[in-house]
Amino acid sequence: MKKIKISLLALFLVAVACKDNKQKKYLPESIGAINNVAVVIDNDLWKGKVGDKIREHFAAPVLGLSWDESSFTLNQMNSIVFTGTLRKTRSVVFVQKDTVNIGHVKSDLYATPQKIGVFKGRTEDEIIQNIEAKAAEAIKAFKEVEISEAQKRFQRSLNKETVLDENFGISLQMPSAYRVGQQEDNFVWIDRQIPKGNMNIIAYTLPYDSFSNEATFVADILRKKDSIGKLYIPGTDVPNKVTYMKTEKIFAPYIVATEIGGKKAVEVKGIWEIHNYPMAGPYVSYIINDAENNRKIVIEGFVFAPQTRKRDYMFELESIIKTVTFN
């Protein structure tokens, strides 16, 4: 009797496993260049006000860059060609005039990981309303899946430096092309050479009660950034002039609350420049509340690449910084 019960149990488990396997649909790995979005929409809609609304949201300028660059590179195609390999695109906007009126974000329909913003309506106005209602959600989903993909690509050849752990007890995952350029008691500078310039990551700590005055919060952040630049980041040698990195004051920085490495933080995006020398570029800085160690830790990325598009460079730096772990 005992053997019969065991056999019946085994058969039951096999049946359940087979059922689960049938329910699990195999999906190929998604493909595509970083920050590229396939826009599946008929040509007539793309050329009209629906297409204008898509471009307004999904090709909006990236905040904090030296000149306008779109958030995503949009690749428009008719629905009839959205088959085969194209369906494996990682980020997709699907727009269609239909008998239903919906707007939502779907995951992993044809590949994994994949995000598809679906916008349908019986009229063009209904489609536009759905885009207005759900575009922000789709953009957030696209950015998350693109950052995840960038971070996955770092794994192919990771930097093995331990300087950040030794100085601050933190780790970042970054490509091996990055090298430690400067190390001080409370300052580390890591950089990577690129065509026509370089990409940079710096890290330092501040007292935990820094920036405690809400009335002077932004001014205090910029003042501290300028003091760090003057101390550690010199500019080009110019006879009889002092040069160093500082924040550009004409355009106010973009500052938002966020979370990084499981800790509350502030994200700051803006433009840096060199005092007494015509050189500038974008930066993104994260000021992280590390209450356990009674400090704030600042991790910042900035790019110098004259006459070059910088969106993807800044996106890589942001993706690196968002891998931070506190050891």
Side-chain angles (χ1 to χ4, degrees), residues 1-12:
M1 180 64 70
K2 187 175 182 180
K3 289 183 178 179
I4 293 174
K5 288 183 178 179
I6 292 174
S7 297
L8 289 173
L9 177 60
L11 287 171
F12 174 75

Side-chain angles (χ1 to χ4, degrees), residues 20 23 46 79 131 143 153 184 240 243 256 266 272 286:
D20 288 345
Q23 290 176 343
W46 178 247
S79 58
I131 294 171
K143 184 169 183 180
R153 295 182 184 186
E184 306 290 343
N240 303 317
T243 64
V256 295
V266 170
W272 60 265
Y286 292 89

Side-chain angles (χ1 to χ4, degrees), residues 159 161 163 174-182 188-194 197-202 300 302 304 316-317 320:
N159 181 285
E161 292 283 357
V163 63
M174 68 185 82
S176 57
Y178 287 83
R179 296 284 187 271
V180 177
Q182 183 178 343
V188 170
W189 186 350
I190 300 170
D191 67 345
R192 168 187 178 180
Q193 297 304 304
I194 56 175
N198 48 65
M199 299 166 64
N200 306 267
I201 295 174
I202 61 174
E300 180 174 315
F302 61 92
F304 170 64
E316 178 175 302
L317 292 174
I320 290 171

Side-chain angles (χ1 to χ4, degrees), residues 50-264:
V50 174
D52 290 341
K53 185 58 63 175
I54 292 169
R55 288 183 285 273
E56 176 187 327
H57 286 281
F58 294 93
V62 178
L63 298 179
L65 294 187
S66 308
W67 63 70
D68 285 353
E69 295 184 50
S70 62
S71 301
F72 300 104
T73 299
L74 305 183
N75 302 308
Q76 184 261 336
M77 64 190 71
N78 197 289
S79 58
I80 198 169
V81 304
F82 185 59
T83 60
T85 301
L86 290 174
R87 284 195 171 188
K88 295 190 288 184
T89 303
R90 191 169 46 256
S91 298
V92 180
V93 171
F94 188 91
V95 179
Q96 189 176 60
K97 189 177 287 188
D98 204 338
T99 57
V100 295
N101 180 25
I102 57 171
H104 54 200
V105 179
K106 304 287 286 184
S107 298
D108 302 344
L109 285 183
Y110 307 109
T112 184
Q114 184 183 58
K115 296 294 180 180
I116 302 182
V118 180
F119 306 102
K120 296 183 179 182
R122 292 161 295 191
T123 65
E124 292 187 9
D125 287 338
E126 284 187 348
I127 295 173
I128 289 172
Q129 289 171 4
N130 289 324
I131 294 171
E132 290 279 17
K134 291 293 183 176
E137 180 184 339
I139 289 168
K140 182 175 183 291
F142 291 167
K143 184 169 183 180
E144 288 174 353
V145 78
E146 295 301 313
I147 285 178
S148 178
E149 175 63 20
Q151 292 170 343
K152 184 172 71 174
R153 295 182 184 186
F154 299 160
Q155 303 297 320
R156 298 171 183 171
S157 179
L158 279 175
N159 181 285
K160 303 298 184 183
E161 292 283 357
T162 59
V163 63
L164 292 172
D165 191 12
E166 294 166 1
N167 283 52
F168 307 118
I170 64 172
S171 296
L172 293 178
Q173 295 183 11
M174 68 185 82
S176 57
Y178 287 83
R179 296 284 187 271
V180 177
Q182 183 178 343
Q183 181 179 0
E184 306 290 343
D185 289 341
N186 184 37
F187 181 84
V188 170
W189 186 350
I190 300 170
D191 67 345
R192 168 187 178 180
Q193 297 304 304
I194 56 175
K196 298 184 180 181
N198 48 65
M199 299 166 64
N200 306 267
I201 295 174
I202 61 174
Y204 55 93
T205 65
L206 299 171
Y208 187 74
D209 60 357
S210 300
F211 318 125
S212 57
N213 187 336
E214 291 187 11
T216 60
F217 180 69
V218 175
D220 290 345
I221 287 176
L222 300 185
R223 191 178 301 113
K224 175 54 67 175
K225 278 178 54 59
D226 288 352
S227 69
I228 292 294
K230 188 173 185 178
L231 189 61
Y232 295 116
I233 310 177
T236 302
D237 289 334
V238 179
N240 303 317
K241 289 186 178 181
V242 176
T243 64
Y244 60 89
M245 178 184 280
K246 66 177 184 177
T247 53
E248 209 279 338
K249 298 300 192 297
I250 295 178
F251 300 102
Y254 302 94
I255 300 179
V256 295
T258 186
E259 185 174 297
I260 182 169
K263 300 178 184 294
K264 292 182 178 180

